[in-house]
Amino acid sequence: MRSTPTLIGLLLAFTLVALVLSVSVNREAMRRSGEIEASARGDERLDRFGELRRKVNQWFRRSRLGQQLDLRLAGADVSLGAFDFVVVVTAVALVLAIVVRSFLGNLGALIMIFAVVATAIKLLERRRKQRVVAFIGQLPDLARLLANATQAGLALRTAVDLVVRELPEPASAEFREVQRQMRLGHSLSDALNDLHKRLPSRDLEVLVRTLLVQSQAGGRLSTSLTTIAATLDDRRELERELRNSVSGAVFSGYTVLLIGVGAVFLMNIVQPGSLDLMATSLIGQIVLVIASGMFILGIILIQRITKVDV
């Protein structure tokens, strides 16, 4: 009961931080689209908070972790900076850890923190992969559009503008970013390499290499792009068949892992304090280490066995 006021205070504090952060992110997106203008005093205060948030994100982006996280957020089309993402995930992890501590103990709270962090990273990577898959699905149409544009005598920069106008998301959004970087003075090579970093894919790498080599060395770019489009169609069909064939094994493997984890937490609910008791005894610690190692090994084996490379 003594921890109730503390829990309520933490929940309110984290909710306030998330609310202000969300408003700042939405306001920045609206400002980019030219829909609003800051004029009132409250707007100015929010602008100052947004400016501070951008500076902190820029500072965090200088680190290696910040750069990698920022690329993943950009590839997943998440309107958060790297430091914003860390703050939100940390807040959610701490709140859930405090909530579950009352019936899962200290060890359960610690496991919850790791679970929230791992889940957030996994969901971010999953969203990024989904966007990569959607973009790869558009690569044949993209290659054909670029081939038709170059065959008609248009420059490659003009063909990029045509992609932005003609293709749906996510290709239009990604090439809009390429277009924006070139307007700011970046070379086509740098803009396309940044695109490949945001959406890493061997298929996209082949297309980018072809565009860069042909634009620098000359040659029949339209012929190369047409060949690439046909090859990408064949690869996409083969990859779809392979993923369908292993989807059942993936589902069964992760179901078994979830049943094991659920059984551990159910044991602590039936016998409160059993997890903390296991963590304080030598035999319990050995069992926890072995169980954790088996779970991690199972996840790695499932990913290795069901990994599809075409």
Side-chain angles (χ1 to χ4, degrees):
M1 297 297 293
R2 294 179 180 177
S3 62
T4 302
T6 304
L7 176 60
I8 295 175
L10 287 173
L11 287 174
L12 291 175
F14 288 137
T15 302
L16 179 62
V17 171
L19 179 62
V20 175
L21 187 61
S22 175
V23 171
S24 178
V25 171
N26 291 334
R27 183 174 179 78
E28 183 178 353
M30 293 173 67
R31 181 185 293 109
R32 288 180 178 179
S33 62
E35 295 179 3
I36 60 173
E37 294 182 357
S39 58
R41 180 176 301 177
D43 292 342
E44 294 175 357
R45 292 176 180 175
L46 190 57
D47 287 342
R48 286 197 293 269
F49 175 80
E51 184 64 26
L52 177 62
R53 184 179 63 83
R54 285 190 292 272
K55 289 182 179 179
V56 174
N57 280 307
Q58 289 176 357
W59 167 80
F60 185 64
R61 198 178 296 124
R62 296 173 185 172
S63 64
R64 184 175 180 181
L65 175 62
Q67 291 176 356
Q68 295 178 352
L69 189 55
D70 192 66
L71 285 175
R72 283 173 168 77
L73 289 168
D77 194 27
V78 177
S79 299
L80 285 176
F83 190 78
D84 298 337
F85 181 79
V86 172
V87 170
V88 171
V89 173
T90 303
V92 173
L94 291 178
V95 170
L96 291 180
I98 294 173
V99 171
V100 304
R101 182 177 177 273
S102 58
F103 57 91
L104 291 181
N106 295 327
L107 182 59
L110 183 62
I111 293 175
M112 179 58 68
I113 292 176
F114 283 108
V116 169
V117 174
T119 301
I121 296 175
K122 185 68 176 179
L123 290 176
L124 178 63
E125 190 63 23
R126 179 181 177 84
R127 180 180 172 88
R128 187 192 189 194
K129 287 183 178 179
Q130 289 176 344
R131 189 171 173 83
V132 170
V133 170
F135 186 80
I136 291 175
Q138 293 178 299
L139 283 181
D141 296 332
L142 173 63
R144 291 190 186 93
L145 185 60
L146 292 175
N148 294 335
T150 54
Q151 190 173 9
L154 298 177
L156 196 53
R157 289 176 177 265
T158 307
V160 170
D161 299 338
L162 188 62
V163 171
V164 174
R165 294 196 305 267
E166 297 296 332
L167 291 183
E169 298 288 341
S172 61
E174 293 300 329
F175 271 82
R176 189 178 297 112
E177 178 64 20
V178 172
Q179 185 185 60
R180 186 188 68 85
Q181 292 184 11
M182 289 192 298
R183 289 176 178 175
L184 291 176
H186 296 274
S187 64
L188 177 63
S189 174
D190 293 338
L192 291 177
N193 285 328
D194 286 342
L195 171 62
H196 180 246
K197 290 179 181 179
R198 292 195 302 272
L199 302 176
S201 167
R202 289 188 303 174
D203 296 337
L204 179 58
E205 183 179 6
V206 171
L207 180 61
V208 169
R209 298 292 183 187
T210 302
L211 291 174
L212 295 180
V213 170
Q214 295 286 359
S215 62
Q216 295 175 1
R220 293 294 298 269
L221 179 58
S222 59
T223 304
S224 301
L225 291 175
T226 303
T227 304
I228 289 176
T231 304
L232 290 176
D233 277 331
D234 296 336
R235 286 170 58 88
R236 182 173 58 180
E237 186 64 28
L238 178 59
E239 185 175 4
R240 185 185 297 112
E241 294 178 359
L242 290 175
R243 290 189 181 277
N244 290 336
S245 64
V246 301
S247 59
V250 174
F251 179 79
S252 300
Y254 281 112
T255 300
V256 173
L257 291 177
L258 290 176
I259 291 175
V261 175
V264 173
F265 286 110
L266 182 62
M267 176 186 66
N268 190 82
I269 294 175
V270 174
Q271 185 67 35
S274 57
L275 282 179
D276 288 341
L277 182 61
M278 291 180 64
T280 55
S281 64
L282 179 60
I283 297 178
Q285 292 173 356
I286 295 175
V287 171
L288 288 175
V289 170
I290 294 176
S292 300
M294 294 295 288
F295 281 125
I296 295 174
L297 179 62
I299 293 174
I300 294 175
L301 289 177
I302 290 175
Q303 293 179 346
R304 293 283 185 178
I305 294 173
T306 60
K307 185 177 181 181
V308 177
D309 287 327
V310 182

